[in-house]
Amino acid sequence: MEVKRFAVLLCAEDSEYMKRQYGGFYGLFKGMLAEEGEAWDMYRVAAGELPGDGEIGLYNGFVITGSCSNAHGDDAWICQLIKLLKKLDFMKKKVLGICFGHQILGRALGGKVGRAKSWDIGLTTIQLSPSSEHFSSLELPAQLSVIQCHQDELKELPAKVEVIATSDKTGIEMFRYGDHIMGIQGHPEYNRDILLHLIDRLLLRSLITESYADELKVNMGAWQPDREAWKRLCISFLKGGFLQ
């Protein structure tokens, strides 16, 4: 029996806390998406480590992580990643993009990425498109809550790409292209603990103010994202389910 292989394209630098608690973003995604008998690998894309032409064919699917970098930037590794994504699209490989991954996928398909009006940090309720049939088999509700942490957003997508979820803050929360590409602006892999850690990291880097960080923590209350629903959705997409 052929082993299914997947690769995490790591576009961020793991903090010591993330490595210790979750095995880094690789460990976080593997914990959420991996099933028995599968092989999971990681490429440190932000450090210039990308799968070569001979390796791409080994994989059934790829997951692109979030990043502190801008998806509208032209760093060498970002340009290399866009080339790779175009190749994966041509080969019809399954690709799931999360946050930065969602934005860079949209850009690779011909869309435009830019700064949002403001940071979006915290729990957001997104509306799944009622016209999209691709959620019905998973019996998902019309709305799902997800943790967000982004300053950029996809501003527009070409007509060939279908927007499948929106929110009050962001017009393109999710999109799909064909049966093989899906982007999610939010972080289905995050929990409250990770969000608190990220707020502290953003504050430390002076990317947000202390008063905003305090406000975010106060407003968190007792809410929880719909992680189980997101897990089902992502696994179903990556492994041949609801977009077939």
Side-chain angles (χ1 to χ4, degrees), residues 34-197:
E35 295 175 295
E36 197 177 339
E38 295 173 351
W40 281 74
D41 298 323
M42 175 179 71
Y43 292 88
R44 299 179 190 278
V45 175
E49 183 185 299
L50 285 86
D53 289 349
E55 295 170 294
I56 294 171
L58 301 173
Y59 294 102
N60 297 83
F62 297 82
V63 179
I64 318 168
T65 73
S67 178
C68 288
S69 299
N70 300 321
H72 48 85
D74 289 316
D75 306 43
W77 71 268
I78 289 177
C79 294
Q80 287 176 327
L81 176 57
I82 289 170
K83 272 189 195 171
L84 171 65
L85 296 179
K86 288 181 177 179
K87 210 173 284 182
L88 295 179
D89 172 33
F90 178 76
M91 295 172 73
K92 298 290 187 283
K93 288 288 182 181
K94 290 266 185 170
V95 187
L96 172 64
I98 304 296
C99 197
F100 168 90
H102 159 89
Q103 296 162 9
I104 205 72
L105 258 182
R107 180 178 167 186
L109 291 170
K112 292 184 181 171
V113 185
R115 277 279 189 262
K117 288 180 183 172
S118 62
W119 275 98
D120 187 2
I121 304 174
L123 194 73
T124 298
T125 299
I126 72 163
Q127 328 287 327
L128 302 182
S129 171
S131 63
S132 183
E133 302 167 5
H134 313 291
F135 301 115
S136 56
S137 63
L138 292 173
E139 298 179 349
L140 295 173
Q143 299 181 330
L144 283 177
S145 59
V146 68
I147 290 175
Q148 304 271 12
C149 187
H150 64 102
Q151 195 177 16
D152 296 336
E153 66 179 358
L154 265 174
K155 298 284 191 180
E156 58 182 77
L157 285 167
K160 63 185 180 181
V161 182
E162 180 190 358
V163 176
I164 54 176
T166 61
S167 72
D168 292 343
K169 256 195 170 180
T170 306
I172 305 172
E173 285 284 359
M174 287 178 69
F175 72 84
R176 60 164 289 219
Y177 177 52
D179 293 335
H180 60 293
I181 286 177
M182 184 168 77
I184 301 172
Q185 177 58 71
H187 284 276
E189 78 281 18
Y190 280 6
N191 57 28
R192 288 166 56 91
D193 172 61
I194 294 170
L195 181 59
L196 284 167
H197 168 66

Side-chain angles (χ1 to χ4, degrees), residues 213-233:
D214 290 342
E215 181 190 329
L216 288 169
K217 290 176 183 179
V218 167
N219 289 341
M220 279 176 72
W223 54 253
Q224 296 289 345
D226 293 317
R227 292 185 78 209
E228 280 307 309
W230 284 109
K231 177 178 176 175
R232 281 191 291 124
L233 191 155

